[in-house]
Amino acid sequence: MILVRFLGPLDFEDLKIEAKSLRELKERLSQYDESELKKWLELCAVSVNDEIVSNLDTQLNDGDIVALLPPVCGG
C-alpha cells in the first residue's frame, strides 16, 4: 500500500492505494469521478519518497509516499 499526498491547491484528502508503478497509480487515479483530479494529473510533477520522478515505469513499493506537486509561480 502506498500513500498519495495532494499538495498545494489540490484539495483532496491523502489516499492509501495499491499500485506497483506510477503508470498503474495514474490509471487508478484517473478512474476517480473527480474531473478536477484528472485535470491535475496532467499538470503535476510527482515525487516518490521526496525525489522528483518523471518515468511512469518507476516501481512503487509498500510504504512509499507519492506526492503530486502542482505547478506554482512566485515572485
Side-chain angles (χ1 to χ4, degrees), residues 2-19:
I2 62 165
L3 176 66
V4 181
R5 291 195 171 142
F6 302 93
L7 303 180
L10 299 174
D11 192 22
F12 302 100
E13 294 291 322
D14 289 353
L15 176 67
K16 289 187 178 182
I17 192 169
E18 291 285 342

Side-chain angles (χ1 to χ4, degrees), residues 21-34:
S21 69
L22 284 181
R23 183 177 312 282
E24 183 180 346
L25 176 62
K26 183 177 180 181
E27 289 170 4
R28 288 179 182 246
L29 290 176
S30 293
Q31 294 173 358
Y32 280 78
D33 290 334
E34 305 278 346

Side-chain angles (χ1 to χ4, degrees), residues 3 8 14 36 39-40 42 45-46 49 57 60 65-66 71-72:
L3 176 66
D14 289 353
E36 188 72 15
K39 177 184 87 170
W40 283 111
E42 298 302 319
V46 177
N49 300 325
D57 293 322
L60 299 173
I65 298 173
V66 175
V72 296

